[in-house]
């Protein structure tokens, strides 16, 4: 069972493209999609949600692109998850405890009284997970990427975006 959809993974990978040196024009959603090997229309939808949540802002026109709306140290992973997935619960209790064959369709009150213990533990786990996602920022993630990826990759990434941006044509 997947707790969050692929939008979270793709969204986080793409928004991390905005953390770091702001050389040249800001990357477009098309450039971020091409870099990650995913659909440009999908990335555009993700960035629409991120912009509505106030996490990114977009520039107009052919030289436009996306920039973070706040310092990356002020944007948590939870902020991104919430923007892309909303406030849905990760566990949906179906109250199957009512359906025990021994109850013949009429469960006793003791069997359904209060919050189901399984539901309770799942809610506690979800609360802890959300706290952890709130504690990690985009700056933290970018730092981890910088430490784990070879310097050559990071330089190639910057060069790749610079090359794509240089090929944008001004229609004026």
């Amino acid at each position: 069972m997947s707790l969050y959809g692929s939008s979270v993974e793709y969204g986080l990978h793409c928004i991390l493209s905005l953390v770091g040196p702001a050389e040249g024009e800001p990357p477009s959603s098309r450039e971020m999609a091409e870099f990650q090997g995913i659909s440009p229309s999908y990335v555009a939808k993700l960035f629409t949600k991120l912009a509505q949540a106030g996490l990114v802002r977009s520039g107009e026109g052919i030289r436009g692109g996306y920039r973070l709306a706040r310092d990356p140290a002020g944007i948590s992973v939870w902020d991104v998850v919430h923007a892309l997935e909303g406030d849905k619960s990760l566990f949906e209790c179906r109250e199957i405890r009512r359906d025990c064959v021994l109850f013949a369709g009429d469960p006793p009150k003791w069997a359904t009284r209060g919050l189901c213990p399984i539901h309770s533990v799942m809610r506690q786990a979800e609360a802890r997970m959300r706290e952890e996602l709130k504690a990690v920022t985009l700056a933290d993630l970018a730092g981890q990427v910088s430490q784990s990826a070879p310097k050559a990759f990071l330089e190639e990434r910057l060069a790749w975006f610079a090359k794509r941006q240089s090929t944008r044509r001004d229609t004026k």
Side-chain angles (χ1 to χ4, degrees):
M1 175 177 91
S2 176
L3 301 179
Y4 290 125
S6 59
S7 65
V8 170
E9 182 177 8
Y10 289 135
L12 283 166
H13 276 282
C14 288
I15 201 169
L16 282 176
S17 300
L18 308 181
V19 179
E23 298 174 11
E25 304 293 334
S28 68
S29 60
R30 178 172 295 285
E31 291 162 347
M32 287 183 276
E34 185 179 345
F35 187 77
Q36 296 298 332
I38 55 181
S39 161
S41 62
Y42 184 65
V43 173
K45 289 176 187 175
L46 296 177
F47 272 78
T48 296
K49 290 180 179 182
L50 294 169
Q52 289 171 341
L55 302 180
V56 298
R57 53 184 162 76
S58 64
E60 298 285 327
I62 194 78
R63 298 281 180 207
Y66 286 93
R67 294 188 192 278
L68 292 176
R70 303 192 307 251
D71 185 282
I75 300 174
S76 71
V77 173
W78 172 250
D79 292 332
V80 177
V81 169
H82 188 259
L84 298 174
E85 293 282 333
D87 203 21
K88 70 180 182 185
S89 180
L90 301 180
F91 177 77
E92 184 179 338
C93 184
R94 304 233 185 247
E95 286 291 336
I96 65 171
R97 61 188 177 160
R98 295 176 296 193
D99 301 329
C100 178
V101 69
L102 299 178
F103 301 152
D106 188 22
K109 293 210 184 292
W110 66 261
T112 58
R113 185 175 29 242
L115 186 61
C116 170
I118 294 169
H119 190 179
S120 177
V121 74
M122 297 303 272
R123 284 176 61 179
Q124 290 170 13
E126 181 176 344
R128 288 187 197 132
M129 183 176 150
R130 287 183 181 197
E131 288 307 312
E132 182 64 24
L133 295 176
K134 290 175 183 178
V136 179
T137 68
L138 293 183
D140 297 331
L141 278 181
Q144 291 174 19
V145 169
S146 293
Q147 289 177 348
S148 65
K151 185 177 179 185
F153 169 79
L154 300 173
E155 291 170 353
E156 287 176 42
R157 184 186 70 156
L158 287 175
W160 187 91
F161 276 102
K163 182 179 179 184
R164 292 304 181 280
Q165 292 162 3
S166 71
T167 62
R168 292 183 194 172
R169 292 201 174 16
D170 196 350
T171 57
K172 291 183 181 179

